[in-house]
Amino acid sequence: MWVPQLSEFNQPVYLAIADALARDISNGVLNKGDRLPTLRELATALDVTPGTISRAYSEAQRRGLVQGEVGRGTFVLTQNPPGPAASNSPAALNLGQPELLDLSIIKPGSETLEHWLRDALVSLARSTDFAGALDYAPDGGHPAHREAGAQWLRHSLPEAQWQQVIITAGAQHGLMVAMSALTNAGDLVLCEALCYPGIISLAHGLERRLRGVPMDDEGIIPEALRELCRREKPAMLVCVATCQNPTAAIMSQQRRAQIAALAEEFDFIILDDDIYGFLATDPSIKPLSAFAPDRSVYLTSLSKSVMPALRIGYLHSPPKLLSRLSSMVRSSVWMPSPLTAQLASNVITEGMDQKLIRIHRNEAAGRQAIAREIFARFELKTQPYAYHVWLTLPEPWTSDEFTMLARANGVLVLSGTQFQAERSEMTRCVRLVLMSPTSRNELRFALTKLASLIETDPRRYY
């Protein structure tokens, strides 16, 4: 079986494998028509995931080195791939930017997703429900898709009923639907002082007044929320109570009950964004919305827990708000794709969602250990299964300055400035996503570069 000899790590693993494949074809180690190892065989031999091998084979196919045949495998196309010596024109120098290591987008690890998605698509095509997924859906989504959504929600909300579920085109769409349907232009919307940038852009785009509530290590501080409510009347609180983005804070059960009590006292709606609820260290803690079910809308999706390609979200609402929410779905996108909703439903009903969650949590735990090791000397906020960390830079760094220099050194991170609901002060924090790199080796390489940059006086770069 062909096993590539990889050079010292200085690039993504999948590119190193593709380069080794090109080299071995050129050197005659591999000949035209040779069958390459399966994804699992080579992944086992190299101690990487099947997804890494899939990306390597895709890159090799893009270069014209191999061809994949469904049901048979991947085969070498040519023994002497074209190179500079075979060309009549001078070889062109590649002066472009090197590939950036992206630690800016929160997503599950990609290495296993292609394998799982392929199986899910095959299952969908063979499903007896396939034809029904090709037509228009009723308001709120097909009952079967809503029941699958309720099944997903019951891991957090045991009493979830499909009749109270509305299908959305992902979590961001769910945020837009809830904010548009349940508040009006000019209304005050509250959120964490440090929050997901999508909330900030959405609120301003809808002409809502956005105010950030001061936070501590558990998230929103109840006393600060009460003080804001005394001064002004909020219409909605958008809150991420578990593995908050960007601080990774997790609210205690007592804190959630306090926030819910304030919603009752001051008559505002809670939009409980529980997109990271599956990463909770204590799954017995109830979602924030469970403490005020009559005035809360629960939101989640499959993009972080299963795979980004499943742009399906679920809103669980009290009956009195359902018609307003479903009407806004219709006004905004008419309906989320029933085909994607059927695929998501199959993933849930076949138990694939829970298998992937276990994979993602285990991978996140391994990557968290790497981050804690490399940043042991720095202030780091995170959780055992979180996909990201919130890093405080030592003085005299600022977050914007560090983000710019990190990019110049080939690593993308997000400045803490981008998470400020109200940009009123300078910050020294940055968010680093651990799951985006294709392998743990690639992550270690990126984090080591960042740690080395932090330890250098920023004034050396000017």
Side-chain angles (χ1 to χ4, degrees):
M1 183 180 79
W2 174 74
V3 177
Q5 298 299 310
L6 303 184
S7 58
E8 182 180 353
F9 178 76
N10 57 8
Q11 62 178 334
V13 176
Y14 79 95
L15 289 178
I17 295 171
D19 288 347
L21 180 59
R23 183 176 62 248
D24 286 353
I25 292 174
S26 180
N27 293 338
V29 175
L30 290 170
N31 299 310
K32 182 177 181 179
D34 283 352
R35 184 179 183 276
L36 296 180
T38 67
L39 302 183
R40 293 193 178 281
E41 288 172 341
L42 193 52
T44 300
L46 295 177
D47 193 25
V48 297
T49 66
T52 297
I53 307 303
S54 176
R55 290 190 71 185
Y57 283 4
S58 295
E59 172 65 17
Q61 184 164 326
R62 186 187 67 80
R63 299 182 191 182
L65 302 175
V66 301
Q67 178 64 51
E69 299 181 18
V70 177
R72 297 190 62 228
T74 303
F75 297 85
V76 175
L77 279 181
T78 176
Q79 187 169 347
N80 295 302
S87 173
N88 293 325
S89 59
L93 292 176
N94 180 11
L95 299 179
Q97 291 291 328
E99 180 172 308
L100 292 169
L101 295 167
D102 192 347
L103 307 187
S104 67
I105 301 176
I106 295 184
K107 60 181 182 179
S110 62
E111 297 307 287
T112 61
L113 297 187
E114 184 176 342
H115 166 73
W116 287 97
L117 182 56
R118 183 181 290 111
D119 287 350
L121 289 170
V122 170
S123 177
L124 173 62
R126 294 172 176 171
S127 171
T128 57
D129 299 322
F130 183 63
L134 305 180
D135 204 348
Y136 285 96
D139 281 358
H142 285 298
H145 298 164
R146 295 165 71 186
E147 171 55 38
Q151 180 178 329
W152 166 253
L153 297 182
R154 288 180 194 122
H155 294 288
S156 301
L157 289 174
E159 305 303 320
Q161 300 297 315
W162 74 265
Q163 294 91 341
Q164 294 175 245
V165 172
I166 294 174
I167 309 291
T168 68
Q172 182 66 23
H173 181 232
L175 282 169
M176 187 278 292
V177 166
M179 196 178 294
S180 299
L182 306 180
T183 67
N184 299 307
D187 279 353
L188 177 62
V189 173
L190 302 180
C191 64
E192 294 99 342
L194 294 166
C195 69
Y196 164 55
I199 296 172
I200 301 172
S201 61
L202 179 62
H204 289 288
L206 294 175
E207 299 183 341
R208 272 53 168 176
R209 293 181 297 123
L210 188 67
R211 186 73 57 81
V213 185
M215 306 168 66
D216 60 15
D217 288 343
E218 282 193 32
I220 285 176
I221 301 172
E223 293 76 12
L225 176 59
R226 174 181 289 278
E227 184 59 31
L228 274 171
C229 291
R230 282 175 174 167
R231 295 202 307 265
E232 296 190 67
K233 179 174 175 53
M236 174 179 284
L237 169 68
V238 183
C239 187
V240 182
T242 299
C243 285
Q244 198 265 345
N245 181 12
T247 67
I250 295 181
M251 275 191 186
S252 66
Q253 189 150 303
Q254 180 182 4
R255 177 73 60 90
R256 297 177 195 225
Q258 290 175 307
I259 299 296
L262 289 171
E264 295 284 355
E265 180 180 351
F266 291 98
D267 190 28
F268 59 80
I269 293 172
I270 295 173
L271 179 50
D272 180 12
D273 184 352
D274 200 33
I275 193 170
Y276 302 111
F278 68 100
L279 297 175
T281 51
D282 181 1
S284 67
I285 296 181
K286 298 177 182 178
L288 175 58
S289 54
F291 294 89
D294 292 334
R295 60 174 57 255
S296 299
V297 175
Y298 180 84
L299 168 65
T300 189
S301 80
L302 301 180
S303 62
K304 310 300 184 187
S305 53
V306 179
M307 60 186 76
L310 284 180
R311 303 305 304 168
I312 290 294
Y314 303 106
L315 288 170
H316 190 269
S317 164
K320 63 183 179 182
L321 303 179
L322 283 169
S323 60
R324 292 161 66 182
L325 293 169
S326 60
S327 177
M328 185 54 62
V329 171
R330 185 171 63 251
S331 297
S332 56
V333 297
W334 191 261
M335 65 176 185
S337 166
L339 191 61
T340 308
Q342 182 63 51
L343 178 60
S345 297
N346 289 354
V347 167
I348 293 169
T349 57
E350 294 171 9
M352 190 186 303
D353 58 333
Q354 297 307 305
K355 293 177 182 178
L356 282 170
I357 284 174
R358 287 193 291 271
I359 291 172
H360 296 328
R361 281 171 60 97
N362 289 339
E363 184 61 24
R367 296 187 180 214
Q368 283 288 340
I370 294 172
R372 289 194 298 271
E373 172 195 339
I374 293 175
F375 295 120
R377 297 183 301 279
F378 305 118
E379 182 181 342
L380 201 66
K381 291 183 179 179
T382 190
Q383 299 293 340
Y385 302 108
Y387 285 179
H388 68 282
V389 299
W390 185 238
L391 174 67
T392 300
L393 302 167
E395 293 182 343
W397 283 106
T398 67
S399 63
D400 290 343
E401 178 182 50
F402 181 78
T403 299
M404 179 181 66
L405 289 172
R407 183 185 180 95
N409 284 269
V411 185
L412 293 179
V413 303
L414 284 190
S415 166
T417 303
Q418 295 180 253
F419 300 93
Q420 293 178 325
E422 301 169 81
R423 297 189 178 183
S424 57
E425 59 184 23
M426 187 176 296
T427 175
R428 290 188 291 113
C429 295
V430 291
R431 190 193 71 184
L432 312 179
V433 176
L434 308 183
M435 298 291 277
S436 294
T438 57
S439 69
R440 295 188 189 184
N441 279 341
E442 187 174 303
L443 174 68
R444 182 178 290 276
F445 180 70
L447 297 185
T448 301
K449 290 183 72 174
L450 294 179
S452 176
L453 184 61
I454 294 171
E455 291 173 335
T456 306
D457 189 326
R459 290 169 291 192
R460 290 188 56 184
Y461 294 96
Y462 297 102

